[in-house]
Amino acid sequence: QVQLEESGGGWVQPGGSLRIACVYSGRTFTFSRYAMGWFRQAPGKEREFLASINWSGGNTYYDDTVRGRFAISRDNRKNTVYLQMNSLKPEDTAVYYCAGGGPFGGRRSSEYEFWGQGTQVTVSS
């Protein structure tokens, strides 16, 4: 059974920073062999792609809305992928999801096989 669990979400003021993490636990998914992605979904909106990282962490890809503000990274020794979020804006408020089992750079939710339950990020003053 594949388990992805996000953590680190919370409330932050505009302009602030937050780092969220996604840990994989299980035996059927070799974390270090797969690209990982981060998505988010705001109320009433579709889930949107944010960032992708290849299996080694040597290549990353971002949506234009977060490029330069967000940074994806991974630690394969810890089976963990991170999303560092800086200069946060109220429009970044959403539930953030990590995803695995998809291609590096995959932008569509349907391309990913495994999902976490999400972590809420709220940006407000």
Side-chain angles (χ1 to χ4, degrees):
Q1 183 179 356
V2 174
Q3 288 186 314
L4 295 173
E5 184 173 1
E6 300 93 340
S7 64
W11 172 82
V12 62
Q13 291 186 331
S17 297
L18 203 62
R19 188 177 80 157
I20 57 178
C22 172
V23 179
Y24 163 69
S25 61
R27 291 188 173 187
T28 58
F29 177 42
T30 306
F31 181 84
S32 61
R33 295 178 59 183
Y34 289 91
M36 297 293 293
W38 281 101
F39 288 72
R40 69 185 178 190
Q41 188 167 17
K45 295 187 177 181
E46 293 186 354
R47 192 167 296 189
E48 63 175 343
F49 168 81
L50 299 176
S52 177
I53 189 166
N54 77 328
W55 66 273
S56 69
N59 287 297
T60 56
Y61 172 68
Y62 298 93
D63 184 80
D64 288 344
T65 59
V66 302
R67 185 178 292 115
R69 296 192 300 127
F70 291 10
I72 188 171
S73 61
R74 68 190 297 162
D75 185 341
N76 287 339
R77 296 168 301 176
K78 298 181 179 180
N79 284 353
T80 302
V81 60
Y82 303 95
L83 187 68
Q84 175 68 43
M85 303 181 291
N86 301 321
S87 302
L88 283 161
K89 307 173 183 179
E91 51 264 43
D92 293 317
T93 295
V95 178
Y96 284 68
Y97 298 91
C98 68
F104 169 64
R107 298 180 59 91
R108 297 190 300 267
S109 299
S110 59
E111 296 180 277
Y112 292 82
E113 187 173 357
F114 311 114
W115 291 87
Q117 295 299 307
T119 185
Q120 176 71 46
V121 172
T122 302
V123 184
S124 72
S125 54

